[in-house]
Amino acid sequence: MDLKLLLQVVGVTLGLLYLWLEYKADIRLWVVGLIMPCVHGLLYFKAGLYADFSMQLYYIAAGLYGWIIWHNAPRRKEKQPIRIQHTPLKWILPLVAVYGAAHGLIYLFLVHCTNSNVPFWDALTTALSVVAMWMLSRKLVEQWLVWGVVDLITVGLYLYKGIPLTAALYGLYTALAVAGYLRWRREVKRLAIEPCE
């Protein structure tokens, strides 16, 4: 079996497991999230998706951060785990600013330092992923919307770059981002009704 195909098969399997755990808001998603970037990183490097490749290093760091935040949440002073919540309005402008700065910097790097033939789109999905991953670590409902945009664009990008199995995975991610958003939104409503312990 060709290495590119093998990496896609393993990556799709890990991706499905990761998405299921994310949908369930299960802390084990961070463990899978530490393994999956290694597989995808090699695949993206072979496909010439350099921003996506470097993004995998961020995913490893973000996975460690997310694990620590979710794992230690019950030990915080208020003894409450991090609860699923909507993104506070005061965070939207900073998140947009982080996205804009990251997109610009990544794009310039790809144009001037690599042979990427998709620098705008590679930078776009990578910058949005930075923001979405941080939002996930804080259990923000709207992270699903950001992931949905990333996933939809990524389908076309990966088809163009010749990695169709991974493109199919991201097609599934797009549909599941909608389901995840609806589920987490219902969870916020349920939590609003239940009294805090």
Side-chain angles (χ1 to χ4, degrees), residues 51-99:
D52 278 356
F53 164 73
S54 62
M55 184 67 194
Q56 303 314 301
L57 300 174
Y58 170 75
Y59 282 154
I60 291 169
L64 290 170
Y65 174 76
W67 171 265
I68 290 166
I69 294 294
W70 284 29
H71 181 68
N72 291 331
R75 295 188 195 120
R76 294 184 315 187
K77 290 179 189 172
E78 63 272 13
K79 301 289 185 202
Q80 291 294 321
I82 294 177
R83 293 167 67 120
I84 295 171
Q85 64 177 317
H86 286 289
T87 306
L89 289 177
K90 66 182 180 181
W91 290 2
I92 293 176
L93 187 57
L95 289 171
V96 170
V98 167
Y99 157 75

Side-chain angles (χ1 to χ4, degrees), residues 4-196:
K4 209 166 157 183
L5 180 58
L6 178 62
L7 291 170
Q8 287 184 80
V9 170
V10 173
V12 166
T13 304
L14 290 170
L16 292 172
L17 177 58
Y18 178 88
L19 192 60
W20 175 252
L21 294 170
E22 181 180 1
Y23 178 79
K24 301 298 270 179
D26 186 317
I27 193 170
R28 292 174 293 179
L29 76 94
W30 299 111
V31 175
V32 176
L34 291 171
I35 300 166
M36 192 170 55
C38 300
V39 174
H40 282 149
L42 184 54
L43 174 64
Y44 299 151
F45 186 79
K46 289 187 67 61
L49 292 163
Y50 304 116
D52 278 356
F53 164 73
S54 62
M55 184 67 194
Q56 303 314 301
L57 300 174
Y58 170 75
Y59 282 154
I60 291 169
L64 290 170
Y65 174 76
W67 171 265
I68 290 166
I69 294 294
W70 284 29
H71 181 68
N72 291 331
R75 295 188 195 120
R76 294 184 315 187
K77 290 179 189 172
E78 63 272 13
K79 301 289 185 202
Q80 291 294 321
I82 294 177
R83 293 167 67 120
I84 295 171
Q85 64 177 317
H86 286 289
T87 306
L89 289 177
K90 66 182 180 181
W91 290 2
I92 293 176
L93 187 57
L95 289 171
V96 170
V98 167
Y99 157 75
H103 188 174
L105 290 171
I106 295 166
Y107 174 78
L108 290 173
F109 175 79
L110 292 174
V111 166
H112 296 293
C113 301
T114 74
N115 63 350
S116 175
N117 64 347
V118 288
F120 177 84
W121 299 106
D122 200 4
L124 176 104
T125 57
T126 301
L128 283 175
S129 295
V130 167
V131 170
M133 194 66 156
W134 184 85
M135 293 173 76
L136 171 60
S137 75
R138 296 297 174 182
K139 290 190 177 178
L140 301 177
V141 173
E142 291 74 19
Q143 59 99 13
W144 288 105
L145 299 176
V146 179
W147 283 125
V149 171
V150 170
D151 299 337
L152 194 58
I153 293 168
T154 299
V155 169
L157 183 60
Y158 289 1
L159 285 172
Y160 176 76
K161 295 301 272 184
I163 47 178
L165 290 179
T166 306
L169 174 64
Y170 278 82
L172 180 60
Y173 279 1
T174 304
L176 291 176
V178 174
Y181 172 74
L182 295 174
R183 181 179 188 276
W184 280 33
R185 197 172 68 173
R186 282 192 308 271
E187 185 68 9
V188 166
K189 288 180 184 174
R190 186 186 68 76
L191 291 171
I193 294 169
E194 290 181 0
C196 292

